[in-house]
Every structure is written in C-alpha cells, then in structure tokens.
Amino acid sequence: MGGMLSQLWWSGNPDVVNPESGLTRREIYAVQKSWIPVYANNVAVGSELLKRYFRAYPEGKQFFRMIKDLNEEQYDSNIQFRAHVISLMTSLNLAVNTLNQPEVVAVLMKKLGESHAKRKIQKKDFQDLKGVIVKMFIEVLKLDDATLGAWVKTIEFWYKNIFETLTTAESQS
Ligand code: HEM
C-alpha cells in the first residue's frame, strides 16, 4: 500500500508548479531534505537564529518580555526563551513537512498571522526575520542555488498567508 501510494505520489512531472504554493515537487523535496539536519538540532539552530535576529534588530526585543532585560549569554538558561525557540522551530517544522498540502499550510500560516497580529508584530518584523533566516542558511548550510531559491519561494508562500491575517487584524485594531 505504501509502495502504491508513493508510486502515485511520485508519478508525473516533478517540475509542475503548484498554483497555491508556487512550488514544484522538486523544490519541496529540496527544502525538506535540507531541513532534516536543521531540525535535528532545532534548539541550537533556533536559539542561534533568534540571537542573530536580536543582534541585527535590537528593537525586536521589545516583543519578548522574557529576554528584554537579559544579555545574550543569559538567553539559553531562560526557560521561556527556550520554550519560544521550540515553539518557533516546531511551527516551522510543521510548515515544512506539510508543503505537499499547501491548503493546510495556508490555514496554519493564517492562524500564525492572527496570533502575531494580537502582539502588534508587523510585516517589517517578519521581513527582518526572513533576512536573518536566509543569511544564516547561506552561511551555515551552504545551500546550492536551487535549494536556496526553493527556500526563498517557500518563505514567500508562508508570508503571503501570514500577511493576509496579520494586516487584516492590523487595519481593524
Ligand atoms: C515565520 C516566522 C515565525 C514563526 C513560525 C513564529 C512562530 C511562533 C509560535 C508557534 C509561537 C507560539 C504560539 C503562538 O502564539 O502563535 C510564537 C510566539 C511568539 N512570536 Fe513568533 N513566529 C514567527 C515570527 C515572529 C516575529 C517576526 C516576531 C517578532 C519580532 C515574533 C514574536 C513572537 C512573540 C513575542 C511570541 C510570544 C512569545 C512568548 O511570550 O512566549 N514571531 N511565534
């Protein structure tokens, strides 16, 4: 059965662009494959990602009550910081693993937009974080151009959905 399913799944052209996500199956595969070593180290990677973000955008700290009065060396021993790192990485993991079901990803990302709108987080903050993610992936993962391109498209797909609810809520508040 598993064999039959995977045969069905893999049949057809892997370069056909899915209209909802803008991604091909080949790109999804590249993203999922490169994510495996990242998620295997999710606490270390997530913590490094947030530290880089706060270094580049210290104003972003205002949203995080648990660390706003701490210095970087103290972050990792802060349990709320670690809980947030794990929330962030688990959410990204889900969004990576469900890329073959773009309508599911869209629902997840719209919920994320709603929860972040309530915290007054704005498009700019997400764009800043995206820049840090991409830069870190280039430096640490040494991705080839095709995989990096697939990541950029993936994040754009996520953000398109996040921004739908983030900005609706922004304009209502
Ligand atoms: C793709 C990007 C992001 C993902 C996947 C993500 C994911 C999450 C998740 C899963 C949570 C906990 C559940 C919830 O409240 O929704 C959370 C909480 C939070 N996020 Fe994000 N987030 C992202 C971007 C951002 C950005 C750009 C900021 C601000 C600069 C931010 C600030 C926060 C804050 C302040 C919390 C609450 C933390 C706490 O009090 O524990 N997030 N995020």
Side-chain angles (χ1 to χ4, degrees), residues 44-97:
V45 174
S47 165
E48 176 64 22
L49 178 67
L50 285 176
K51 284 178 190 165
R52 286 177 182 226
Y53 169 71
F54 293 137
R55 245 177 259 152
Y57 303 97
E59 68 277 14
K61 285 188 182 187
Q62 61 170 315
F63 298 115
F64 296 86
R65 267 171 303 151
M66 72 287 236
I67 53 113
K68 79 178 171 24
D69 300 320
L70 302 181
N71 59 46
E72 205 178 283
E73 294 74 49
Q74 297 169 309
Y75 293 174
D76 286 322
S77 51
N78 183 285
I79 198 74
Q80 276 126 323
F81 177 78
R82 206 178 325 148
H84 177 254
V85 165
I86 293 170
S87 298
L88 173 81
M89 295 303 283
T90 307
S91 163
L92 292 178
N93 187 50
L94 194 58
V96 167
N97 287 338

Side-chain angles (χ1 to χ4, degrees), residues 53 60 63-66 80 84 87-88 91-92 109 111-112 115-116 119 121-122 125-126 129 133 158-159 162:
Y53 169 71
F63 298 115
F64 296 86
R65 267 171 303 151
M66 72 287 236
Q80 276 126 323
H84 177 254
S87 298
L88 173 81
S91 163
L92 292 178
M109 294 301 112
K111 284 189 178 180
L112 199 76
S115 76
H116 285 67
R119 304 191 170 94
I121 291 155
Q122 299 190 344
D125 306 310
F126 276 91
L129 184 65
I133 295 176
W158 292 342
Y159 277 23
I162 292 172

Side-chain angles (χ1 to χ4, degrees), residues 99-146:
L99 277 176
N100 279 309
Q101 300 169 75
E103 57 295 337
V104 171
V105 179
V107 170
L108 295 170
M109 294 301 112
K110 286 188 176 111
K111 284 189 178 180
L112 199 76
E114 277 167 27
S115 76
H116 285 67
K118 288 188 191 126
R119 304 191 170 94
K120 309 273 178 238
I121 291 155
Q122 299 190 344
K123 269 183 165 181
K124 178 205 172 289
D125 306 310
F126 276 91
Q127 296 297 15
D128 292 346
L129 184 65
K130 173 179 160 184
V132 177
I133 295 176
V134 171
K135 195 158 175 270
M136 185 168 150
F137 276 16
I138 295 173
E139 280 175 34
V140 180
L141 295 177
K142 314 223 182 315
L143 301 179
D144 59 78
D145 285 352

